[in-house]
Amino acid sequence: MAQTPHRSTSRVLDIFDLLSTTMEGFTLTEIAQALQSPKSSILPILQTMASRNYIDLDYRTNRYTIGINLFCAGSIYHNKISINRFIDLEMQQLTRRTDEACCLGTLEGDHVLFLHRTDAPDAISCHKSPGQTELACLGAVGKCLLCDYKLDELTELFFKDGGRLPPQLNLYRAHIQMEETRITNLAYEYGEVEPGIQCVASPIRVQDRVVAALGVILPSFRVNPEKAMTAAKALPVSIQKIENILSTTDESLDEVFSLNGFKNL
């Protein structure tokens, strides 16, 4: 029998999740709005967490940030697991939030190479699985990986050595979608790669360079506006956490974002 989450404990963890997405922190009002809770309920929790040094309050800006005690606990955990394991755990959390499978891919030539996937209990089979590839200008993950490319760079990538695109694909229109992704950090597909499979994805950046992309796989038969919105809101939170941990690692990104990196998870 599933247990009902303890409300106060859940709020503490929600605050940790929220503060872990930014270095600038959030005000009481912003935290209350993000958690959809009254400030009168959130403030005592924040005061207790601050008194125990798990969060900090900057009295000049009234912004709360991660505190030294949480940093120490996180540092121990960071040394305990690999970056690949951290990404796997974050993808599992994203799967639980959306009740859908999540996929991670990187660019290999003009194709997306899928590296890792986490499945919900009722996930369906599709090609977005480790070791599989798809043409990068077709799907949401590929549009994220190519979102910084200029049109002439895309032309060189896809048409060099006599390359050809599917007749239904217009590279100029695909480039416009990639430009939108660069601005919004979200890309979408609606069955362009596989009939009945939709996807929403976000790019993962290290030092402003796209190194991978994370997507939520949405089977068309159970997609609704609420589910699509949940995925679009949850993705940036997971992306920020992954980018934060990547910014502190000494591990080789080429090794992290490889099939071998996720092989033994």
Side-chain angles (χ1 to χ4, degrees), residues 8-243:
S8 296
T9 305
S10 294
R11 282 179 174 168
V12 171
L13 298 177
D14 287 341
I15 290 169
F16 283 151
D17 277 343
L18 182 63
L19 295 183
S20 69
T21 65
T22 178
M23 297 291 291
E24 289 73 27
F26 295 95
T27 65
L28 170 62
T29 299
E30 291 169 339
I31 293 172
Q33 289 175 344
L35 301 186
Q36 297 182 336
S37 297
K39 289 191 285 186
S40 58
S41 298
I42 296 297
L43 181 58
I45 298 175
L46 292 174
Q47 290 173 331
T48 301
M49 293 166 69
S51 71
R52 299 283 296 273
N53 293 321
Y54 281 94
I55 63 174
D56 287 333
L57 172 61
D58 186 330
Y59 290 98
R60 297 170 302 173
T61 63
N62 289 320
R63 289 184 174 275
Y64 292 90
T65 56
I66 293 296
I68 185 64
N69 281 348
L70 188 60
F71 173 79
C72 291
S75 296
I76 294 172
Y77 185 72
H78 179 238
N79 292 328
K80 179 182 174 182
I81 67 169
S82 68
I83 295 296
N84 294 87
R85 181 58 176 156
F86 179 89
I87 294 173
D88 170 65
L89 291 171
E90 190 56 43
M91 289 177 64
Q92 290 182 39
Q93 283 201 19
L94 185 57
T95 286
R96 286 193 290 270
R97 291 188 198 108
T98 61
D99 291 323
E100 297 294 353
C102 296
C103 59
L104 179 78
T106 191
L107 193 64
E108 187 174 81
D110 59 0
H111 277 66
V112 176
L113 171 63
F114 289 100
L115 304 175
H116 192 53
R117 174 169 160 166
T118 53
D119 281 327
D122 55 352
I124 67 170
S125 175
C126 74
H127 293 313
K128 301 181 192 299
S129 299
Q132 298 294 318
T133 63
E134 67 184 36
L135 194 63
C137 54
L138 278 178
V141 173
K143 291 168 188 173
C144 289
L145 295 169
L146 296 172
C147 67
D148 289 340
Y149 278 57
K150 297 180 173 59
L151 184 57
D152 60 339
E153 293 173 324
L154 293 174
T155 301
E156 170 66 17
L157 179 65
F158 289 104
F159 292 110
K160 66 182 178 182
D161 302 324
R164 301 181 67 179
L165 295 177
Q168 75 274 17
L169 179 64
N170 183 301
L171 190 58
Y172 177 74
R173 291 177 184 169
H175 177 248
I176 293 175
Q177 295 172 338
M178 294 168 195
E179 284 278 289
E180 293 172 350
T181 297
R182 184 174 58 80
I183 296 170
T184 65
N185 285 319
L186 289 170
Y188 300 87
E189 70 181 74
Y190 303 97
E192 296 94 330
V193 182
E194 293 180 74
I197 297 295
Q198 299 185 28
C199 184
V200 55
S202 290
I204 298 173
R205 294 179 181 273
V206 176
Q207 296 181 349
D208 208 34
R209 178 174 68 90
V210 177
V211 296
L214 181 61
V216 178
I217 302 169
L218 302 169
S220 298
F221 70 87
R222 61 173 177 246
V223 173
N224 55 50
E226 182 180 0
K227 181 178 282 286
M229 182 63 70
T230 297
K233 287 184 175 180
L235 263 170
V237 176
S238 293
I239 292 294
Q240 188 62 66
K241 290 181 183 179
I242 293 171
E243 289 180 343

